[in-house]
Amino acid sequence: MAVDVYFNFDGNCREAVEFYADVFNTEAPQIMTFGEAPPNPEYKLPKEAKDLVMHARININGSNVMFSDVFPGTPYIQGNNITLAFVSTDLDEIKSVFHKLKEGGTVHMELQETFWSKCYGNVKDRFGTEWQVSHDSGQSAM
C-alpha cells in the first residue's frame, strides 16, 4: 500500500479541496462533514463543528490526497498541517507499524475501531512526523 498525504485546514477545507480538485482536474470530491458522521451519545457535537469537513479525498495522478478541518479547539499551525496516512488491509502490519512509530513518540489516539476503520490510530513519531494508521477493508467509504 502507498503512504497518502493528509492535509488539515482551519475551517476552509471545503474551499481548499474544491480548489485542488479544479487545479488537478480530478473528479468532484466527496465531502463528509462532522455533522454527517454517526452521532456519539457520549459526546455532543459543538454547533461550530457541524459544517466543518471531517474527511474528503481526491486522487491526483494516482496519489490519494486527503483533507479535513481541525476540530474546534484543536491547535492549527499553517505549514505544519500535513500528516502521512499509512493504510493497509493487513491488521498485523497496522499494529506493528503503529507500535514502532509510537516508540519515543506521542500517541494522539491509540489503535481502536472507529466507524470508518476496523483499526485506526494517530501518533507523532520521535522525529515529529504525524501519522495516521488505518485498516482498509476494501470498501471505500469515500
Side-chain angles (χ1 to χ4, degrees):
M1 291 263 156
V3 172
D4 297 330
V5 177
Y6 208 112
F7 283 98
N8 289 304
F9 292 88
D10 194 22
N12 60 345
C13 182
R14 181 179 300 274
E15 178 185 356
V17 72
E18 289 173 350
F19 171 76
Y20 293 124
D22 179 59
V23 167
F24 295 103
N25 197 28
T26 72
E27 291 184 20
Q30 292 182 357
I31 297 173
M32 175 188 243
T33 65
F34 286 104
E36 294 169 327
N40 180 343
E42 297 175 19
Y43 182 77
K44 184 177 168 133
L45 184 70
K47 187 175 182 178
E48 63 271 20
K50 186 176 78 97
D51 294 325
L52 293 176
V53 174
M54 180 179 175
H55 181 75
R57 179 176 64 198
I58 59 175
N59 189 283
I60 300 174
N61 217 24
S63 295
N64 286 322
V65 181
M66 299 179 283
F67 304 81
S68 71
D69 281 309
V70 295
F71 201 75
T74 303
Y76 172 84
I77 301 170
Q78 190 171 6
N80 214 12
N81 56 324
I82 299 171
T83 61
L84 299 177
F86 177 77
V87 182
S88 175
T89 57
D90 184 334
L91 285 170
D92 290 332
E93 181 180 38
I94 290 166
K95 291 173 185 177
S96 175
V97 165
F98 185 82
H99 291 295
K100 288 177 183 177
L101 286 171
K102 78 178 193 177
E103 290 177 19
T106 305
V107 173
H108 299 299
M109 184 175 178
E110 277 292 348
L111 285 177
Q112 60 190 270
E113 187 169 344
T114 64
F115 75 87
W116 69 87
S117 175
K118 187 175 184 176
C119 187
Y120 174 86
N122 183 293
V123 62
K124 180 191 286 189
D125 70 22
R126 67 180 185 216
F127 301 105
T129 302
E130 299 278 350
W131 291 90
Q132 297 183 59
V133 179
S134 186
H135 178 257
D136 178 1
S137 67
Q139 299 175 344
S140 177
M142 285 195 3

